[in-house]
Amino acid sequence: MRIEVLRIQELHLQQLLEHASQCWPHEAVAFLLGIVRNTVATVLQTHPVENVADAPSLFEVDPHTHYRLLLDAEERGLEVVGIFHSHPSDPTPSSLDVRNMRFNPVPWLISGRSKGEWSLRCFALAQGTTDQMTEVRLEVL
C-alpha cells in the first residue's frame, strides 16, 4: 500500500496535539483509523493510547491494547491508516522509527516541539525499501 496523502480533520489534529502536550516530555502515541482510496488515506478516528515505554524518548504500546484496537477497527470497517507520535524536538523519524515502520507500513505522523510550538511532518517507507523515507503530504481539512 503506497500512501501519498494523509487527510485529517483539524479537530482530530488538535486532539492529537493535546495528547502530545499532556504526555510531554514523554512521547505520545495514537492510532489513526480510517479508509484508504487509491493513494489517499483519510483519518476518521484517532485513538490516543498509553505509552508504556520506560524511557521518555521512546514509545511502546501494550500488545493487548493494540490487538483490541485492531479488532474494533475491523468491526467498524476501518483500518489503521497511520500512527501518530511525538518527539521532544524536531518531527523527523529516528532510526528506531524507521526500523518500526517496517512492521507498521503506514504513514507515521510525527509531531515535534521546538521553542514551545508543535510542528508536524508525515513519513512512510519509500516503495520497495526497508530504510528509505518519503514524506507524505498532510492535508488538514
Side-chain angles (χ1 to χ4, degrees), residues 29-49:
V29 60
F31 289 94
L32 311 178
L33 304 182
I35 56 172
V36 176
R37 299 283 187 262
N38 299 315
T39 60
V40 177
T42 302
V43 176
L44 300 175
Q45 297 177 0
T46 60
H47 289 272
V49 295

Side-chain angles (χ1 to χ4, degrees), residues 7 12-13 17 22 27 33 36 39 43 49-50 57-59 76 85-86 93 107 112 125 131 137-138 141:
R7 289 186 178 147
H12 288 143
L13 198 55
L17 293 177
Q22 290 170 351
E27 291 194 5
L33 304 182
V36 176
T39 60
V43 176
V49 295
E50 180 184 1
S57 60
L58 297 172
F59 78 86
R76 296 172 189 262
H85 79 285
S86 61
L125 285 176
D131 63 352
R137 191 172 81 228
L138 181 64
L141 308 173

Side-chain angles (χ1 to χ4, degrees), residues 87-98:
H87 279 186
S89 57
D90 69 317
T92 302
S94 67
S95 58
L96 185 58
D97 290 341
V98 174

Side-chain angles (χ1 to χ4, degrees), residues 13-135:
L13 198 55
Q14 291 308 314
Q15 290 169 342
L16 294 171
L17 293 177
E18 182 177 317
H19 177 56
S21 293
Q22 290 170 351
C23 294
W24 179 263
H26 296 273
E27 291 194 5
V29 60
F31 289 94
L32 311 178
L33 304 182
I35 56 172
V36 176
R37 299 283 187 262
N38 299 315
T39 60
V40 177
T42 302
V43 176
L44 300 175
Q45 297 177 0
T46 60
H47 289 272
V49 295
E50 180 184 1
N51 179 357
V52 298
D54 290 333
S57 60
L58 297 172
F59 78 86
E60 185 177 325
V61 177
D62 173 73
H64 297 303
T65 300
H66 188 189
Y67 181 69
R68 283 192 308 272
L69 187 82
L70 293 174
L71 289 177
D72 184 55
E74 185 177 52
E75 287 175 7
R76 296 172 189 262
L78 302 175
E79 59 186 294
V80 175
V81 297
I83 294 174
F84 167 83
H85 79 285
S86 61
H87 279 186
S89 57
D90 69 317
T92 302
S94 67
S95 58
L96 185 58
D97 290 341
V98 174
R99 190 182 101 214
N100 287 329
M101 284 179 182
R102 291 182 226 154
F103 305 109
N104 298 286
V106 295
W108 283 44
L109 179 59
I110 303 173
S111 66
R113 192 171 191 173
S114 178
K115 299 178 185 170
E117 296 293 320
W118 288 107
S119 57
L120 290 158
R121 293 177 73 192
C122 192
F123 298 89
L125 285 176
Q127 190 79 18
T129 72
T130 60
D131 63 352
Q132 299 297 310
M133 296 288 94
T134 185
E135 196 150 359

